[in-house]
Amino acid sequence: MTQLQSAVAVDREDSPRMDRLLAPRSIAVIGASSDPHKISGRPIAYLRRFGYSGRIIPVNPHNDEIQGLRAYPEIAAVDGPVDLALIMVPAERAAGAVRACGRAGVPFVIVVASGFAEVGTRGAALEADLRAAVAETGVRLLGPNCLGMISLRDGAVPTFSPVLESAADLRPGPVAFVSQSGAFGSFLFGELHDLRIGLSHYITTGNEMDVSGPDLLAGLVADGGVRVLLTYLEGVTSGTQLLQVARDAHVADKPIVMVKAGRSTTGAAAARSHTASLAGDDRVFDALMRGHGVVRVDSQEELLDAAQVFGASRRTSGRRLTILSESGGAAVMMTDTAVDVGLEVPAWEDAWQARLDEFVPAYGSTRNPVDFTAALLTDPGMLRAGLSTAIAHPGTDMIAVLVGNADHFADPLLEAIEDLYAATDLPIVVVWTGGSGRPRSRLRECGIPCFTDPVRAARALGRLADHSLRPPLPTPLRPDDVDPAAAARIVGHARAEGRTALDEQESAALVRAYRIPVTDSAVARTAAEAVTSAHRFAAPVAVKVLSSRIAHKSEIGGVRLGLATPDEVAAAAAELLDVARAHGEHDPRLLVQPMWSGPAEMILGARHDPALGPVVLAGFGGILVELLRDSCVAAAPTDHETAARMLHGLTGAPLLSGIRGGPALDVEVVVDSLVRLSWLVSDLGDEIAEIDLNPLLVDAVGAGACAVDALVLLRERR
Amino acid sequence: MTQLQSAVAVDREDSPRMDRLLAPRSIAVIGASSDPHKISGRPIAYLRRFGYSGRIIPVNPHNDEIQGLRAYPEIAAVDGPVDLALIMVPAERAAGAVRACGRAGVPFVIVVASGFAEVGTRGAALEADLRAAVAETGVRLLGPNCLGMISLRDGAVPTFSPVLESAADLRPGPVAFVSQSGAFGSFLFGELHDLRIGLSHYITTGNEMDVSGPDLLAGLVADGGVRVLLTYLEGVTSGTQLLQVARDAHVADKPIVMVKAGRSTTGAAAARSHTASLAGDDRVFDALMRGHGVVRVDSQEELLDAAQVFGASRRTSGRRLTILSESGGAAVMMTDTAVDVGLEVPAWEDAWQARLDEFVPAYGSTRNPVDFTAALLTDPGMLRAGLSTAIAHPGTDMIAVLVGNADHFADPLLEAIEDLYAATDLPIVVVWTGGSGRPRSRLRECGIPCFTDPVRAARALGRLADHSLRPPLPTPLRPDDVDPAAAARIVGHARAEGRTALDEQESAALVRAYRIPVTDSAVARTAAEAVTSAHRFAAPVAVKVLSSRIAHKSEIGGVRLGLATPDEVAAAAAELLDVARAHGEHDPRLLVQPMWSGPAEMILGARHDPALGPVVLAGFGGILVELLRDSCVAAAPTDHETAARMLHGLTGAPLLSGIRGGPALDVEVVVDSLVRLSWLVSDLGDEIAEIDLNPLLVDAVGAGACAVDALVLLRERR
């Protein structure tokens, strides 16, 4: 074993705990400058200015003292443990510095220098050396080409980022933010500050040569002081790790609010050119993330809006929104969007409206949305009374207060809001339009989410409700009647013959090993055998070409359906044997099957996604999948509840209950088949590339379903 | 004829021209107070403060002088013409004031008092009297229960709205804003001011007892100084007038940016309780407005964003967006949304990328989106060079510049943007994230659209492109081979019998009069007649119950298809005659038709929409219409281009070109049928409630299409 090989073999289980990075007790700055205005001088200046509670260790061979602190000539000379080294040297010297840190037992380093893989060939060589240094030493590395970390919790700010240059009264809090883009991160950091959202960590990940976005998110989910995770991602190499982070966050009730750029093909190409990371198939990514409770948003404003509502750390127990508004018009707009995002704005019961009637003007409305009219401004007791009533009203799960152009009347309104916010656990948001912004700032200082647009507030509340009421994670339980050994034998047989395609008979046998209903069949090599086989089944039968070399047999005329008599079977079989020979089968075989019919045609599938691992898919056949790509995806294995929720989320879901005079379908059998398929692809995960059951014919409730074709492809051996 | 009747008969053609309201040469304030701080004193104070260029006429029986101006005891005493009277008296005295204005020849009045229909029974009586005063006098009335008008162009501000109380340096310009909600209008007015959007008019319409939102929009479209119309609508009583306004605005290239609240059922109910106006069927409303070029938006921020890009008065000649960014991440997000809204972000040709290579850092990107990296901040020449190159680049139709946290480096960046904005006619928008807001304000002072979020900027540019490249209005030309007289005779026959339902034979004859392909048929009263009739057609045939009393004959088993032999026809006919008798037909009749088949099933329909007049609809049959409500709507009559665009906008449109092995369909025949149907419903508009051709079977290109069922319902006579 070479040294490199043994280094690569460093077991990641032995990786230092992420808290040494996220909450370091000591930080060394390698290449620290005495000049606090130089880039390499800023980190020491920032650490001191932000009152870092740990030990600050300048390392510089040319000075004994840096910015008033004792400096060390090299990392090896430092007495006592160093949790984190910020390496400020140029790219050419970074690998050497990492090796020195490794020898000194430093568990984490941050490399900020650019000039690595992101600049092409020359940089790629430097990055390869840096990677080797990490592999040799087991040091975990954040970067290169990153801005470092800002932890407001303890003043741990190993960074040179100019965002700290002018920052005053930054607010610590429970919200962490991990960005794969430095510039975008800086944009957001400034906005989060302006919104007075309390931050624990802000970290940019640069080239992610070693420590990745998901690594950091995993560490932050485990961090007791973090309650909300914000992240900007451009690409993810380990989707399975990200899914595990999402699971942990789901259990810990910590929302992950994610912007994932590169949704569109054009955008994904731009993201690749930007970070050289793989954007992947966004549809599968999106479905799996949402399925695990991740709050996916599309813009920085949506990220900020979600950060506000989640930063308030309240949850809702239902979807019923009460709107208290100075403007009937703004309230109607908010109602429209609230309904769009799945909230309800139900009219209040008469008795409760009567309570409002005591102080709401006759030309307003007490129905919900409650229209106080502009009388709200001159009668500040009205808002207090209205909010108290809404909090007491049992049909209210969330409250939105809408006011505008109210700066002249602000103080009593703000006092009423602040008092009643403190008196309840219900989520309350304020939409305060126009004016100086001072009232908004005051509310945000109190931790009360405050918006300028009612539509954005409605969307943010919708996300809060989706998170609060999110379905449980799947708890998959392997069915005890499946036969993994039989499945493995079938795969082994194809592998032994050097094949990656299973023929239809093998494919059917594979899924049958997991008790997924698939049509019965018999193999025939002659027309006479086909006729004999057909006698096993009730007429009519289907006859198909059987070949692992022909994936799309109907496209070559290799399928004959509805054969009612022995003569028809014999004639069709003779023709199909010719078709098979014409497509290169020297010893052609046929499959004889009974005909199965059902009122609906579905497609079940499974894949091994390169980034996200085994997944199952389902959809309706026909134009729904052709025109709408109406399909659903879940990580495998999954459970019956999740599979049922997937199916009921399809655009075509009304077909399950029966429309256009059709019967209600046997959904239970489809759900069960999907769960079994998820176990199959999961158990054989390393082997399977793709499984397609297309079509799965679904009959009425109680009458079952049956796959009448099956295709299994194995993964290519590397 | 009573006096009231003769007053009602005032011909609206003789209405005063709207410019007397929108650009009044003299304004009387009836009930003006000497105290500029009282509500009734504010209008005179405002008119003077905003330097109203016309004559200000206080009317007050108790003072000879009001706020330094000569006052008149009554409107009749005023010498010289009065274009507009602002009536500041309480609700009880408003009708009297209107009558006095009428006698004095004042063409327009504004009634601001509340206490009319919006407060219930008592107010409704007052509003009825006010309405009578208008009817008697022919005076046009804005309000009641409104804030009045603010025209910044000439300082005509007949209003008591507190939004003017603190307003400084309001900016006149080409953007007009009409709001059906006073409070929402005030919200927006403040925001428009903050964004430095130049306003011509801001008008709230109150109860719209007489002058409506569409009346004002019509006047503003005709106003040469207005280039952009913003409007907030909650309900529209005359949709046809609004469509005409949209047509005029389309021709004049004046975008109408519209928020129409009450999209959802809940929201519509809230809108009704708020203004007592009818929200109508939003799907039809939305389709017709968009079809006429109206820019519909869903939130106040979207309205403001659109106001910025349209306020800049530039148009684009294509959809190709070049993004110049400090942040690759922000650029990727903008790209995703740009693609969502139908823009393109194409990679630049190599030769043009080479020009950028001269100054863009190697770790950036020249591909488009162009990633300058944060080097943009410290090398201000880079933005100037990049913008110059993008303007020169022939594949660039629009440009977005993205910077963030750049306040310290702002001046040279702003200078570059301002210089190059002035040097081109291309639309340029800036996304300037974070910081003090000063750079954004400066850009907006220069009229350069400036955003904080790249996603919002992308959506606004999408709307600019949609407007700039909007399809022409339909130019319908009545086909010369239609027979309106025959159609009228068929309708007259049913009317003579007191029927509003036509039977299938009559319905088919009606559409056949407009040469819409509909299946041939013969009437039979006995089984023997049915057999004889069937001989006229090639087998197989269909036999149906024929009755104007049975609208849904297939639901009662009144249809038999695919009858191949005389025996089958006779048996089916006998059964169907029994079915008809069982459903109350004493003298039952049958319809015998040839069978028609086609690979696709469509539905064509026409309606007389209560608010919007005659419309045509089209969609695919089957699950597309059931699950997706996949249909399209256009105002009737329409032309072939518009009808084709409608069909190609359906979700099912790929079926037209043939998918899943199906042939390309005979779209031309469908388009032609839709146009003919639009003429039929338009020509017979007063008569028709509803026409359904369901299904229209569509065959392959060249093979035509044929309606195999037709149902016509006439409007109930009032």
Side-chain angles (χ1 to χ4, degrees):
Chain A
M1 190 183 267
T2 67
Q3 189 191 9
L4 189 61
Q5 280 172 327
S6 92
V8 169
V10 166
D11 188 347
R12 286 295 164 190
E13 290 296 312
D14 293 337
S15 280
R17 282 168 48 204
M18 200 57 75
D19 61 3
R20 305 282 290 277
L21 170 65
L22 298 174
R25 293 159 302 178
S26 55
I27 301 175
V29 180
I30 299 181
S33 163
S34 292
D35 182 348
H37 302 295
K38 285 178 69 171
I39 283 183
S40 54
R42 283 187 206 153
I44 299 283
Y46 290 161
L47 285 163
R48 300 193 70 184
R49 177 142 68 84
F50 282 86
Y52 172 50
S53 53
R55 182 182 173 198
I56 309 172
I57 307 159
V59 177
N60 185 322
H62 308 298
N63 293 71
D64 290 343
E65 182 246 287
I66 299 276
Q67 299 186 41
L69 296 172
R70 179 185 163 191
Y72 297 79
E74 54 177 352
I75 189 75
V78 177
D79 54 309
V82 177
D83 277 357
L84 173 62
L86 175 67
I87 297 177
M88 295 298 297
V89 304
E92 293 74 14
R93 288 161 42 204
V98 170
R99 290 188 172 95
C101 286
R103 285 190 297 270
V106 179
F108 280 98
V109 299
I110 300 175
V111 176
V112 300
S114 55
F116 292 93
E118 78 279 7
V119 296
T121 317
R122 190 179 50 82
L126 287 176
E127 188 154 323
D129 189 28
L130 194 63
R131 196 181 295 275
V134 164
E136 290 159 23
T137 57
V139 167
R140 300 296 313 267
L141 183 148
L142 177 63
N145 185 28
C146 73
L147 297 172
M149 178 172 83
I150 293 174
S151 170
L152 293 180
R153 183 165 61 178
D154 52 6
V157 289
T159 182
F160 66 98
S161 171
V163 298
L164 292 186
E165 207 57 66
S166 57
D169 86 283
L170 292 172
R171 184 173 188 160
V175 180
F177 172 38
V178 174
S179 177
Q180 286 187 330
S181 159
F184 184 80
S186 300
F187 284 15
L188 247 289
F189 181 81
E191 302 270 357
L192 289 165
H193 170 55
D194 290 347
L195 290 172
R196 309 306 291 142
I197 291 173
L199 278 184
S200 64
H201 295 81
Y202 159 49
I203 310 175
T204 64
T205 62
N207 291 8
E208 296 200 7
M209 197 201 79
D210 176 34
V211 172
S212 67
D215 286 339
L216 292 167
L217 292 170
L220 291 163
V221 167
D223 185 312
V226 174
R227 299 299 314 156
V228 182
L229 294 98
L230 311 179
T231 187
Y232 172 82
L233 300 179
E234 290 179 342
V236 175
T237 46
S238 173
T240 47
Q241 183 191 10
L242 193 58
L243 285 180
Q244 188 54 51
V245 171
R247 280 188 200 101
D248 293 343
H250 189 292
V251 171
D253 190 20
K254 298 186 180 185
I256 299 179
V257 186
M258 179 187 291
V259 175
K260 166 83 163 20
R263 280 184 291 119
S264 62
T265 314
T266 317
R272 274 195 295 278
S273 88
H274 178 52
T275 60
S277 59
L278 185 71
D281 179 339
D282 192 71
R283 279 168 50 90
V284 173
F285 180 85
D286 192 65
L288 264 59
M289 289 301 146
R290 291 185 201 272
H292 284 71
V294 168
V295 181
R296 178 119 183 240
V297 297
D298 287 336
S299 76
Q300 70 194 52
E301 287 191 344
E302 288 177 359
L303 188 74
L304 294 166
D305 293 348
Q308 280 205 81
V309 294
F310 288 117
S313 293
R314 297 191 175 188
R315 299 290 182 264
T316 179
S317 53
R319 295 185 172 275
R320 295 167 302 179
L321 173 65
T322 287
I323 300 175
L324 307 177
S325 183
E326 173 196 339
S327 157
V332 172
M333 287 180 57
M334 185 171 195
T335 300
D336 281 341
T337 300
V339 171
D340 284 347
V341 300
L343 301 180
E344 301 155 23
V345 188
W348 278 21
E349 308 81 344
D350 288 345
W352 283 88
Q353 288 198 48
R355 295 201 195 186
L356 294 174
D357 274 330
E358 291 169 24
F359 49 89
V360 173
Y363 51 97
S365 170
T366 57
R367 193 174 182 275
N368 188 30
V370 177
D371 180 8
F372 288 126
T373 78
L376 183 77
L377 300 182
T378 46
D379 179 2
M382 194 186 292
L383 180 59
R384 187 175 286 271
L387 258 175
S388 301
T389 313
I391 289 168
H393 175 239
T396 294
D397 299 314
M398 292 177 280
I399 300 171
V401 176
L402 276 55
V403 292
N405 293 1
D407 278 21
H408 290 294
F409 314 92
D411 286 343
L413 296 173
L414 293 169
E415 277 159 30
I417 293 168
E418 288 161 16
D419 290 350
L420 287 156
Y421 189 85
T424 181
D425 287 330
L426 292 182
I428 300 180
V429 302
V430 177
V431 181
W432 194 293
T433 305
S436 65
R438 192 189 57 79
R440 283 190 293 274
S441 298
R442 179 168 151 187
L443 290 168
R444 287 169 183 153
E445 286 292 346
C446 299
I448 302 174
C450 191
F451 299 85
T452 53
D453 183 314
V455 164
R456 278 171 64 182
R459 291 197 188 114
L461 286 175
R463 295 198 160 100
L464 177 64
D466 288 346
H467 175 79
S468 300
L469 308 169
R470 68 196 181 280
L473 289 172
T475 48
L477 194 68
R478 180 184 279 101
D480 54 15
D481 56 358
V482 301
D483 190 348
R489 276 195 303 277
I490 295 165
V491 169
H493 177 71
R495 290 286 189 203
E497 293 186 357
R499 286 186 284 129
T500 54
L502 272 55
D503 68 31
E504 184 179 337
Q505 195 195 22
E506 292 168 326
S507 299
L510 187 73
V511 299
R512 209 179 279 124
Y514 275 66
R515 303 228 172 202
I516 298 165
V518 61
T519 194
D520 205 358
S521 60
V523 178
R525 290 172 187 271
T526 65
E529 279 181 29
V531 171
T532 309
S533 297
H535 285 304
R536 285 178 46 193
F537 310 119
V541 297
V543 180
K544 303 170 174 177
V545 167
L546 176 63
S547 165
S548 65
R549 298 174 55 251
I550 301 170
H552 299 288
K553 50 192 170 290
S554 50
E555 288 175 15
I556 60 157
V559 178
R560 300 294 157 87
L561 302 176
L563 307 170
T565 66
D567 286 354
E568 285 178 21
V569 171
E575 287 168 27
L576 289 174
L577 289 167
D578 286 344
V579 168
R581 281 188 200 96
H583 284 82
E585 286 288 347
H586 298 301
D587 183 15
R589 295 175 306 151
L590 303 176
L591 212 52
V592 183
Q593 296 175 340
M595 293 292 291
W596 219 93
S597 70
E601 191 177 302
M602 297 197 72
I603 302 172
L604 304 190
R607 305 257 179 290
H608 194 94
D609 186 274
L612 296 158
V615 299
V616 282
L617 306 93
F620 289 92
I623 56 173
L624 281 168
V625 69
E626 289 269 345
L627 292 177
L628 302 178
R629 303 187 67 192
D630 181 29
S631 62
C632 51
V633 190
T638 193
D639 66 7
H640 286 73
E641 291 67 28
T642 307
R645 211 165 44 238
M646 278 172 69
L647 293 175
H648 285 288
L650 288 167
T651 304
L655 294 170
L656 299 173
S657 332
I659 57 167
R660 289 173 65 78
L665 302 179
D666 202 333
V667 185
E668 271 184 48
V669 173
V670 181
V671 166
D672 189 59
S673 301
L674 199 54
V675 169
R676 290 170 178 277
L677 187 60
S678 80
W679 278 105
L680 174 58
V681 67
S682 175
D683 288 348
L684 295 177
D686 279 348
E687 293 288 355
I688 301 293
E690 195 176 327
I691 303 177
D692 275 299
L693 307 180
N694 181 9
L696 176 87
L697 297 177
V698 188
D699 210 333
V701 173
C706 186
V708 299
D709 200 353
L711 174 65
V712 176
L713 299 176
L714 305 180
R715 294 172 78 182
E716 299 290 338
R717 293 286 196 203
R718 273 147 301 189
Chain B
M1 190 181 268
T2 67
Q3 191 191 5
L4 188 61
Q5 281 172 327
S6 91
V8 169
V10 166
D11 188 348
R12 289 291 166 192
E13 291 298 310
D14 294 336
S15 280
R17 284 169 44 205
M18 200 58 75
D19 61 3
R20 305 282 289 278
L21 169 64
L22 298 175
R25 294 159 302 178
S26 53
I27 300 175
V29 180
I30 298 182
S33 162
S34 292
D35 181 349
H37 302 296
K38 286 178 69 172
I39 283 183
S40 55
R42 284 186 206 152
I44 299 283
Y46 291 161
L47 285 163
R48 302 193 70 182
R49 178 143 66 86
F50 283 86
Y52 172 50
S53 54
R55 181 181 174 199
I56 309 172
I57 307 161
V59 176
N60 186 321
H62 308 299
N63 294 70
D64 292 341
E65 182 247 285
I66 299 277
Q67 299 185 42
L69 296 172
R70 180 185 162 190
Y72 296 80
E74 52 177 352
I75 189 75
V78 178
D79 54 308
V82 177
D83 277 357
L84 173 62
L86 175 67
I87 296 178
M88 295 298 297
V89 303
E92 294 72 16
R93 287 160 45 203
V98 170
R99 289 189 172 93
C101 286
R103 285 190 296 270
V106 179
F108 280 97
V109 299
I110 300 176
V111 176
V112 300
S114 54
F116 292 92
E118 77 280 6
V119 298
T121 317
R122 190 179 49 83
L126 288 176
E127 189 154 323
D129 189 29
L130 194 64
R131 194 181 297 274
V134 164
E136 290 159 23
T137 57
V139 167
R140 301 295 314 267
L141 183 147
L142 176 63
N145 184 28
C146 74
L147 297 171
M149 178 173 83
I150 293 173
S151 169
L152 293 180
R153 182 165 63 178
D154 52 6
V157 289
T159 181
F160 67 99
S161 170
V163 298
L164 292 185
E165 209 53 69
S166 56
D169 84 286
L170 292 171
R171 185 173 189 159
V175 180
F177 173 38
V178 174
S179 177
Q180 285 186 332
S181 158
F184 183 80
S186 299
F187 285 16
L188 247 289
F189 182 80
E191 302 269 356
L192 290 164
H193 170 55
D194 290 347
L195 290 172
R196 309 305 292 143
I197 291 173
L199 279 185
S200 66
H201 295 79
Y202 159 50
I203 310 175
T204 64
T205 63
N207 291 9
E208 297 200 8
M209 198 202 77
D210 176 34
V211 172
S212 66
D215 285 340
L216 293 167
L217 292 171
L220 292 163
V221 168
D223 185 312
V226 174
R227 301 298 315 156
V228 181
L229 294 98
L230 312 180
T231 188
Y232 171 82
L233 299 179
E234 290 178 344
V236 176
T237 45
S238 174
T240 48
Q241 183 191 10
L242 193 58
L243 285 179
Q244 187 54 49
V245 171
R247 281 187 199 100
D248 294 343
H250 189 292
V251 171
D253 190 20
K254 298 186 180 186
I256 298 179
V257 185
M258 179 187 293
V259 175
K260 167 86 164 17
R263 280 184 291 119
S264 63
T265 313
T266 317
R272 274 197 295 278
S273 87
H274 178 55
T275 61
S277 61
L278 184 71
D281 181 338
D282 192 71
R283 278 168 50 90
V284 173
F285 180 86
D286 192 66
L288 263 62
M289 289 302 146
R290 292 185 201 272
H292 284 72
V294 169
V295 181
R296 178 121 182 238
V297 296
D298 287 336
S299 76
Q300 69 194 53
E301 287 191 345
E302 288 177 0
L303 188 75
L304 294 167
D305 292 347
Q308 279 206 82
V309 294
F310 288 116
S313 293
R314 297 193 174 187
R315 298 290 181 265
T316 179
S317 54
R319 295 186 171 273
R320 294 166 302 177
L321 173 64
T322 287
I323 300 174
L324 306 176
S325 183
E326 173 196 338
S327 156
V332 172
M333 287 180 57
M334 185 171 196
T335 300
D336 281 341
T337 301
V339 171
D340 284 347
V341 300
L343 300 180
E344 300 155 23
V345 188
W348 279 22
E349 309 81 343
D350 287 345
W352 282 88
Q353 288 198 48
R355 295 203 195 186
L356 293 175
D357 274 330
E358 290 170 25
F359 49 88
V360 173
Y363 52 98
S365 170
T366 57
R367 194 176 183 274
N368 189 29
V370 176
D371 179 9
F372 288 126
T373 78
L376 183 76
L377 300 182
T378 46
D379 179 0
M382 195 186 290
L383 181 59
R384 188 175 286 271
L387 259 175
S388 302
T389 312
I391 290 167
H393 175 240
T396 294
D397 298 315
M398 291 177 281
I399 299 171
V401 175
L402 276 54
V403 292
N405 293 1
D407 278 22
H408 290 294
F409 315 91
D411 286 345
L413 296 172
L414 293 169
E415 277 159 29
I417 294 169
E418 287 161 16
D419 290 350
L420 288 156
Y421 190 85
T424 181
D425 288 330
L426 293 182
I428 300 180
V429 301
V430 177
V431 181
W432 193 294
T433 304
S436 65
R438 193 189 56 80
R440 284 189 292 273
S441 298
R442 179 168 153 187
L443 290 167
R444 288 169 181 152
E445 285 292 346
C446 298
I448 301 174
C450 191
F451 299 84
T452 52
D453 183 315
V455 163
R456 279 170 64 181
R459 291 198 189 113
L461 285 174
R463 296 199 159 100
L464 177 64
D466 288 346
H467 175 79
S468 300
L469 308 169
R470 67 195 181 282
L473 289 171
T475 50
L477 194 67
R478 180 184 279 101
D480 55 15
D481 56 359
V482 302
D483 190 348
R489 275 195 304 276
I490 294 165
V491 169
H493 178 71
R495 289 286 189 203
E497 294 186 356
R499 285 188 284 130
T500 54
L502 273 55
D503 69 31
E504 183 179 339
Q505 195 195 21
E506 292 169 326
S507 299
L510 187 74
V511 299
R512 207 178 279 122
Y514 274 65
R515 302 228 173 205
I516 297 165
V518 60
T519 194
D520 204 359
S521 61
V523 178
R525 289 171 187 271
T526 65
E529 278 181 29
V531 171
T532 309
S533 299
H535 285 305
R536 288 176 47 193
F537 311 119
V541 298
V543 181
K544 304 170 175 176
V545 168
L546 175 63
S547 165
S548 65
R549 299 175 52 252
I550 300 169
H552 301 287
K553 50 192 169 288
S554 50
E555 289 174 14
I556 59 157
V559 179
R560 300 293 156 86
L561 302 175
L563 307 170
T565 67
D567 285 353
E568 284 177 22
V569 171
E575 287 168 27
L576 288 176
L577 289 168
D578 286 343
V579 168
R581 281 188 202 98
H583 284 81
E585 285 288 347
H586 299 302
D587 184 16
R589 296 175 305 153
L590 303 175
L591 211 53
V592 182
Q593 296 174 341
M595 292 293 292
W596 220 93
S597 71
E601 189 178 305
M602 296 195 73
I603 302 172
L604 303 189
R607 305 259 179 289
H608 193 92
D609 185 274
L612 296 158
V615 300
V616 282
L617 305 93
F620 288 93
I623 56 172
L624 280 168
V625 69
E626 290 267 347
L627 293 178
L628 301 178
R629 303 188 65 194
D630 181 29
S631 63
C632 51
V633 190
T638 192
D639 66 6
H640 286 73
E641 290 68 28
T642 307
R645 209 165 44 239
M646 276 171 70
L647 293 175
H648 286 289
L650 288 168
T651 303
L655 293 169
L656 300 172
S657 330
I659 56 166
R660 288 174 63 79
L665 302 179
D666 202 333
V667 185
E668 271 185 46
V669 173
V670 181
V671 165
D672 190 59
S673 301
L674 198 55
V675 169
R676 290 171 177 277
L677 186 60
S678 81
W679 277 105
L680 175 58
V681 68
S682 176
D683 288 350
L684 295 178
D686 280 348
E687 293 288 358
I688 301 293
E690 194 176 329
I691 303 176
D692 275 298
L693 307 180
N694 181 10
L696 177 86
L697 297 177
V698 187
D699 210 334
V701 173
C706 186
V708 299
D709 199 353
L711 174 66
V712 176
L713 299 176
L714 304 180
R715 294 172 77 182
E716 299 290 339
R717 292 288 197 202
R718 273 146 300 187

